[in-house]
Amino acid sequence: MATPHQPSLSSVFLLLILLLSSLSATLCDTGGSVAINYGRIANDLPSPPQVVQLLKTQGLTKVKLYDTDSTVLSALSGSGISAIVALPNENLSEAAASQSYTDTWVQSNILPYYPKTLIDAIAVGNEVFVDPKNTTVYLVPAMKNLYSSLVKYDVSSIKIASPIALSALQTSYPSSSGSFKSELVEPVIKPMLSFLKQTGSYLMVNAYPFFAYIANTDTISLDYALFRDNKGVTDPNNGLVYKSLLEAQLDAVYAAMNVLGFNDVKLVVSETGWPSKGDENEAGANAQNAASYNGNLVRRVLTGGGTPLRPNEPLSVYLFALFNENMKNGPTSERNYGLFYPSEQKVYDVPLTLAALAGAPNSSPSMNNGSKSRVVAHPPSSNGVGDVSPSNAGQTWCVATGDVGDEKLQKALDYACGEGKADCRPIQKDATCYHPNTLEAHASYAFNSYYQKNARKSGSCYFGGAAYVVSQPPRYGSCEFPTVY
């Protein structure tokens, strides 16, 4: 039976431990950086100025774009938010053919905005190697011409790079055996890496453990894919132990670069994420797993070092994506990677900064792979918004995920009712919300009390991955969850 009680000694110190670890990460500069991809393949997104304000409220200082839209770049002007902009795949052939084309492109798309709009880099194409239009041959010449144009106009501090997909690898397991596809090495990989090294740039990699997981659910643990506690995977060639699939993927890329003699080129994760919804054949595509992946990834990036193969190189990650994009083609998951709905309401709540992490009471990212949450809410409609009545429109609640294991859920409940000062009187025996007398129901009530008392601020509905935000009123028996205190 689940009843609230005084916090254990370990839970009392959870917040203190997190604060100390965050301070240590800040002072030692061992943490990496978290940024976001701002895609716009949708017809219902907020205006660019609204988006810039949203980025600021979330503490995000870096964004990656897929074009050089003037309204977006103008909105970013003077914001302090830096951007990676893009030269799309369809422009590669022209950019490769003539520097006069890239001169004009820079004059039209960079110089009118820079430096008031902080432009960190230009992504030349996106996943060019899998482009059905076969633009691979144009990639490196386009990168070189564009760089020459930047030099010509004295803005060569802007880096030139190009995001590649993990499908560019011929071998990725074990990580130490990573290698690029042989047909790509001489024509494009080696020349590109040489260019990146010469210009002081970095390799962009789009890495999605979700794709590897749904293709290999029989051999890849969900815990391993979501940065949860797991026994790890040991590389038989060097003995390195991997606790997450993403780190194993990145080290396979590092190993592939090492084979070609480019062990000094840095790497940026230009895309990674987990969908909050998917088709029947897309195992694990749900809000709980998306919150777990992104939340645990952010904690790993901001408070940890590098990968097992390059432990001293902090991770730089661009989450995919800022919004759900309703006009994207493909499976359901493609339209449901966003951290936010177009209404700017969170799909789920995860801390995105060290400050937000410090406000999350449970520092442990570990979660056990159990049954899915038993919270009963109004089912979401096709656009991701549930049956929200006018009286509760725009409101949010915090509930337990139900799949973290009783021990971790109990510790989080202990914290909320103890040090967290949640109002847990309604879940005491014979009180209004004692029934249903389950750990998940009691934890949900306590988490929501803590969340509402803390003004629903970012990170206040996290509890180490044991909780997530919902936009429909939770239902546990006849208990009503308040939205204000």
Side-chain angles (χ1 to χ4, degrees):
M1 292 187 181
T3 56
H5 53 79
Q6 293 300 311
S8 63
L9 182 61
S10 60
S11 63
V12 169
F13 289 103
L14 283 175
L15 184 59
L16 177 60
I17 292 171
L18 174 59
L19 290 171
L20 289 175
S21 64
S22 296
L23 177 61
S24 175
T26 301
L27 294 176
C28 298
D29 195 29
T30 58
S33 65
V34 171
I36 196 92
N37 281 275
Y38 173 21
R40 297 183 300 111
I41 306 177
N43 60 8
D44 55 358
L45 298 183
S47 68
Q50 289 175 300
V51 172
V52 170
Q53 188 57 41
L54 176 63
L55 294 170
K56 287 182 176 180
T57 61
Q58 297 303 310
L60 292 166
T61 59
K62 295 182 179 181
V63 66
K64 179 169 161 284
L65 311 174
Y66 291 87
D67 53 25
T68 52
D69 183 84
S70 61
T71 59
V72 175
L73 292 179
S74 296
L76 287 168
S77 179
S79 67
I81 298 171
S82 62
I84 293 176
V85 300
L87 176 75
N89 288 9
E90 54 265 30
N91 299 129
L92 291 183
S93 61
E94 293 173 293
S98 167
Q99 189 186 324
S100 64
Y101 176 87
T102 56
D103 284 350
T104 301
W105 190 90
V106 169
Q107 288 174 328
S108 301
N109 295 280
I110 301 298
L111 299 184
Y113 311 101
Y114 184 82
K116 288 185 178 180
T117 296
L118 303 174
I119 300 176
D120 282 340
I122 301 170
V124 180
N126 184 55
E127 298 187 352
V128 172
F129 306 151
V130 293
D131 185 348
K133 296 181 181 179
N134 194 24
T135 53
T136 297
V137 66
Y138 306 120
L139 179 58
V140 175
M143 295 173 77
K144 289 182 176 179
N145 279 344
L146 190 54
Y147 180 74
S148 296
S149 296
L150 294 180
V151 171
K152 178 177 180 178
Y153 295 110
D154 198 26
V155 289
S156 60
S157 58
I158 298 173
K159 303 297 184 186
I160 300 290
S162 183
I164 67 169
L166 285 178
S167 58
L169 294 179
Q170 184 164 306
T171 304
S172 61
Y173 180 83
S175 298
S176 59
S177 297
S179 63
F180 290 109
K181 289 181 176 177
S182 55
E183 65 270 25
L184 294 175
V185 172
E186 293 299 330
V188 63
I189 295 291
K190 285 180 71 174
M192 180 176 67
L193 290 175
S194 178
F195 169 82
L196 296 176
K197 180 177 180 178
Q198 291 171 6
T199 60
S201 190
Y202 41 77
L203 181 67
M204 290 181 172
V205 177
N206 295 346
Y208 288 89
F210 171 71
F211 294 140
Y213 171 71
I214 63 174
N216 302 277
T217 54
D218 56 334
T219 56
I220 295 179
S221 157
L222 184 59
D223 291 337
Y224 184 58
L226 297 179
F227 293 86
R228 296 173 177 171
D229 274 350
N230 62 88
K231 64 181 180 181
V233 175
T234 301
D235 189 311
N237 295 329
N238 55 24
L240 293 176
V241 178
Y242 290 88
K243 291 289 188 175
S244 74
L245 179 54
L246 178 66
E247 291 177 84
Q249 291 177 330
L250 299 183
D251 272 359
V253 178
Y254 279 133
M257 287 196 289
N258 292 347
V259 169
L260 301 180
F262 293 96
N263 58 1
D264 50 355
V265 173
K266 295 186 181 296
L267 182 153
V268 167
V269 182
S270 42
E271 287 184 21
T272 190
W274 197 281
S276 60
K277 188 187 298 185
D279 295 322
E280 286 188 9
N281 63 341
E282 296 183 295
N286 58 57
Q288 296 97 315
N289 288 341
S292 184
Y293 178 81
N294 284 318
N296 292 334
L297 170 61
V298 168
R299 186 179 304 279
R300 169 68 182 82
V301 170
L302 295 182
T303 64
T307 64
L309 194 60
R310 293 198 184 180
N312 297 321
E313 292 187 17
L315 296 170
S316 178
V317 171
Y318 285 77
L319 299 178
F320 188 87
L322 187 57
F323 296 110
N324 283 343
E325 298 173 70
N326 67 351
M327 296 182 69
K328 295 194 73 173
N329 297 321
T332 298
S333 61
E334 282 295 312
R335 295 174 288 283
N336 290 278
Y337 274 92
L339 272 64
F340 293 87
Y341 294 113
S343 65
E344 299 185 45
Q345 185 179 55
K346 292 180 179 180
V347 179
Y348 47 83
D349 191 27
V350 295
L352 298 173
T353 64
L354 278 173
L357 281 173
N362 187 349
S363 63
S364 172
S366 60
M367 298 171 68
N368 294 323
N369 180 18
S371 60
K372 64 189 296 186
S373 173
R374 295 180 295 279
V375 61
V376 181
H378 299 298
S381 65
S382 60
N383 64 0
V385 180
D387 181 16
V388 183
S389 69
S391 63
N392 59 45
Q395 297 176 351
T396 55
W397 294 261
C398 182
V399 296
T401 64
D403 64 354
V404 297
D406 287 353
E407 181 180 356
K408 295 183 185 301
L409 199 57
Q410 184 67 54
K411 285 183 178 180
L413 173 60
D414 292 343
Y415 174 87
C417 292
E419 187 177 342
K421 298 186 179 354
D423 181 8
C424 295
R425 291 172 296 179
I427 54 176
Q428 300 292 340
K429 189 172 183 180
D430 298 327
T432 55
C433 288
Y434 179 71
H435 292 291
N437 181 21
T438 66
L439 179 57
E440 183 183 340
H442 286 186
S444 291
Y445 190 92
F447 293 169
N448 184 65
S449 174
Y450 179 90
Y451 176 64
Q452 304 297 340
K453 281 177 174 286
N454 284 276
R456 298 189 290 272
K457 69 180 181 181
S458 179
S460 61
C461 181
Y462 185 61
F463 295 90
Y468 67 106
V469 172
V470 295
S471 56
Q472 299 82 37
R475 291 180 179 173
Y476 287 97
S478 60
C479 180
E480 293 187 4
F481 281 46
T483 55
V484 292
Y485 278 90

